[in-house]
């Protein structure tokens, strides 16, 4: 895919559901919210893409703001009907897919900072180039609906980079020195999401593949828990089947952190 025509993208996708119903907006409040508001009426695999979001959301209740037309802002509606225990699989799948999509297209290393910050090395420092927000709806103890929202800084120049919590931001433009069609990136993410989703729908856990992409493991970290705002220091030693980060402190005590902010202390 080489143009910015998102309807052609939909036609070109080698998928059976993901992206076959696709909405492209110049401006929308949030692509996640737009799909959530219409989730009952829309089919599994529907996609919303926007050039600009007036109320883009990040993790932990943060805003997600990017300049018009320069970021790939896309969300995918899935109707898994999986047991609740597999909710974390969607976060894992999303992270794996984004990393693999970028690696296929570009020649730089990209990783995940737990849980799902998309990061790359620039001038010997980690920079955030994208983020993932998964929002789920539960019905009768099953995972009825999920919206996977992915924001990637594609053609954002240095002066327009968003301010991010923790890491400095960067973009594909700054990492590669050239502009890229957002459709090319979306083609990779959307086709991979369908394959990964169907693989996991057969009961295959994405944990191993996700773990391999986490730059956080083995590092000293400070974690601010989203649940009790407590700060914990230690070494990130693993992630578990629920996607929690396992921290070990100096006394060898282990704790599992379900959601929060992690700073790496290199
Ligand atoms: C993060 O905090 O790192 C997650 C950011 C997720 C942003 C994307 S952009 C497309 C989708 N729509 C939203 O409102 N948020 C997600």
């Amino acid at each position: 895919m080489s143009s910015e025509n998102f309807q052609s993208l939909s036609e070109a996708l080698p998928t059976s559901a993901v992206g076959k119903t696709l909405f492209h907006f110049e401006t929308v409040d949030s692509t996640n919210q737009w799909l959530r508001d219409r989730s009952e009426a829309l089919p599994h695999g529907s996609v919303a893409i926007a050039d600009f979001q007036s109320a883009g959301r990040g993790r932990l209740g943060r805003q997600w703001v990017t300049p018009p037309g320069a970021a790939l802002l896309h969300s995918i509606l899935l109707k898994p009907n999986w047991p609740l225990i597999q909710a974390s699989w969607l976060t894992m799948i999303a992270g794996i897919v984004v990393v693999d999509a970028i690696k296929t297209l570009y020649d730089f290393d990209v990783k995940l900072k737990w849980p799902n910050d998309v990061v790359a090395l620039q001038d010997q420092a980690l920079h955030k180039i994208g983020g993932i927000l998964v929002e789920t709806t539960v019905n009768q103890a099953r995972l009825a609906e999920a919206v996977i929202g992915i924001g990637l800084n594609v053609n954002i120049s240095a002066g327009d980079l968003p301010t991010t919590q923790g890491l400095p931001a960067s973009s594909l433009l700054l990492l590669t020195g050239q502009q890229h069609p957002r459709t090319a990136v979306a083609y990779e993410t959307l086709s991979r999401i369908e394959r990964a989703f169907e693989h996991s729908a057969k009961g295959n856990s994405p944990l191993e593949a996700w773990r391999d992409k986490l730059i956080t493991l083995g590092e000293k970290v400070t974690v601010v828990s989203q649940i009790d705002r407590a700060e914990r220091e230690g070494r990130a030693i693993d992630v578990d089947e629920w996607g929690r980060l396992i921290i070990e402190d100096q006394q060898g005590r282990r704790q599992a952190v379900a959601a929060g902010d992690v700073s790496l202390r290199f």
Side-chain angles (χ1 to χ4, degrees):
M1 293 298 304
S2 58
S3 80
E4 288 283 279
N5 183 334
F6 287 98
Q7 285 317 318
S8 312
L9 164 69
S10 170
E11 285 153 29
L13 281 169
T15 52
S16 53
V18 171
K20 290 300 161 188
T21 302
L22 186 148
F23 304 87
H24 172 230
F25 306 96
E26 264 178 40
T27 299
V28 74
D29 50 359
S30 149
T31 51
N32 268 35
Q33 190 59 45
W34 194 88
L35 286 177
R36 294 191 73 184
D37 288 344
R38 293 156 185 82
S39 62
E40 275 191 30
L42 291 173
H44 167 80
S46 297
V47 167
I49 301 185
D51 296 338
F52 179 74
Q53 297 181 126
S54 55
R57 295 204 282 269
R59 287 178 58 245
L60 310 175
R62 295 187 180 125
Q63 291 183 312
W64 185 263
V65 186
T66 47
L72 173 60
L73 309 168
H74 60 329
S75 301
I76 305 100
L77 171 69
L78 299 173
K79 302 194 173 180
N81 194 27
W82 290 354
L84 267 192
I85 198 152
Q86 289 171 10
S88 58
W89 286 14
L90 293 172
T91 302
M92 297 179 194
I93 286 172
I96 295 164
V97 157
V98 173
V99 167
D100 285 344
I102 294 174
K103 279 191 173 165
T104 300
L105 293 167
Y106 311 110
D107 191 22
F108 60 86
D109 203 17
V110 54
K111 292 272 184 197
L112 297 170
K113 181 167 93 65
W114 183 89
N116 251 350
D117 283 349
V118 186
V119 299
L121 214 51
Q122 183 185 315
D123 305 328
Q124 295 177 331
L126 277 184
H127 287 66
K128 179 163 171 171
I129 59 170
I132 295 164
L133 176 68
V134 180
E135 297 180 296
T136 52
T137 310
V138 176
N139 193 0
Q140 296 186 325
R142 312 273 304 176
L143 191 58
E145 289 166 1
V147 173
I148 297 182
I150 303 168
L152 270 176
N153 300 342
V154 180
N155 296 318
I156 307 186
S157 48
D160 286 338
L161 285 170
T163 44
T164 47
Q165 195 84 14
L167 295 179
S170 189
S171 67
L172 299 181
L173 167 68
L174 295 171
L175 283 155
T176 63
Q178 47 190 9
Q179 300 252 346
H180 303 281
R182 290 170 298 161
T183 43
V185 188
Y187 179 88
E188 292 296 329
T189 53
L190 296 177
S191 41
R192 281 163 195 280
I193 285 222
E194 179 161 295
R195 282 205 297 278
F197 177 80
E198 285 177 357
H199 187 62
S200 284
K202 294 181 189 136
N204 299 301
S205 168
L207 177 64
E208 286 304 316
W210 184 59
R211 184 189 273 129
D212 277 354
K213 295 181 171 20
L214 287 171
I215 202 166
T216 317
L217 297 184
E219 302 298 337
K220 283 186 184 167
V221 292
T222 304
V223 180
V224 180
S225 162
Q226 192 193 1
I227 293 156
D228 58 8
R229 304 309 302 166
E231 231 179 68
R232 298 178 175 92
E233 291 200 346
R235 193 170 291 279
I237 56 167
D238 204 358
V239 278
D240 67 14
E241 194 62 49
W242 293 274
R244 298 179 305 179
L245 188 66
I246 313 295
I247 313 281
E248 187 175 85
D249 69 14
Q250 282 194 321
Q251 287 71 44
R253 288 177 303 220
R254 293 184 178 188
Q255 268 192 328
V257 183
D261 252 347
V262 169
S263 328
L264 300 174
R265 295 185 291 129
F266 290 109

